[in-house]
């Protein structure tokens, strides 16, 4: 949390109130609620990025192929 104060609630009802400096980590797919107690500024960090299922999540092997095809296309269209 960067500024303000917020309350985080887990599905089992556990509540944590936090102020600037609070860092909270959730497991993938873990449900939670965040409620602002005052004007609050949060930093939301989603990792790994891109996540599974995201169109940008391609293997290194596939990525290498994309780069090679882009280079071939560039050579054909530059002349």
């Amino acid at each position: 949390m960067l500024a303000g104060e917020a309350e985080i609630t887990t599905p089992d009802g556990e509540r944590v109130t936090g102020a600037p400096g609070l860092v909270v980590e959730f497991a993938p797919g873990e449900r939670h609620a965040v409620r602002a107690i005052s004007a609050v500024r949060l930093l939301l960090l989603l990792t790994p990025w891109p996540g599974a299922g995201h169109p940008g999540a391609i293997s290194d092997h596939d990525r290498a192929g994309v780069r090679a095809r882009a280079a071939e296309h560039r050579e054909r269209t530059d002349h």
Side-chain angles (χ1 to χ4, degrees):
M1 190 166 324
L2 301 176
E5 190 175 19
E7 179 182 79
I8 296 97
T9 306
T10 64
D12 62 356
E14 181 183 356
R15 293 178 183 203
V16 175
T17 301
L22 175 70
V23 175
V24 180
E25 180 180 357
F26 299 103
E30 181 181 349
R31 306 292 280 169
H32 59 278
V34 178
R35 181 178 69 90
I37 295 173
S38 66
V40 67
R41 181 176 297 167
L42 303 173
L43 172 64
L44 179 62
L45 180 61
L46 304 172
T47 61
W49 185 256
H54 186 279
I58 62 175
S59 69
D60 289 338
H61 179 266
D62 291 339
R63 186 174 295 116
V66 168
R67 289 181 181 148
R69 287 190 301 278
E72 290 170 7
H73 175 74
R74 196 170 32 248
E75 286 179 16
R76 285 193 309 268
T77 58
D78 283 347
H79 297 332

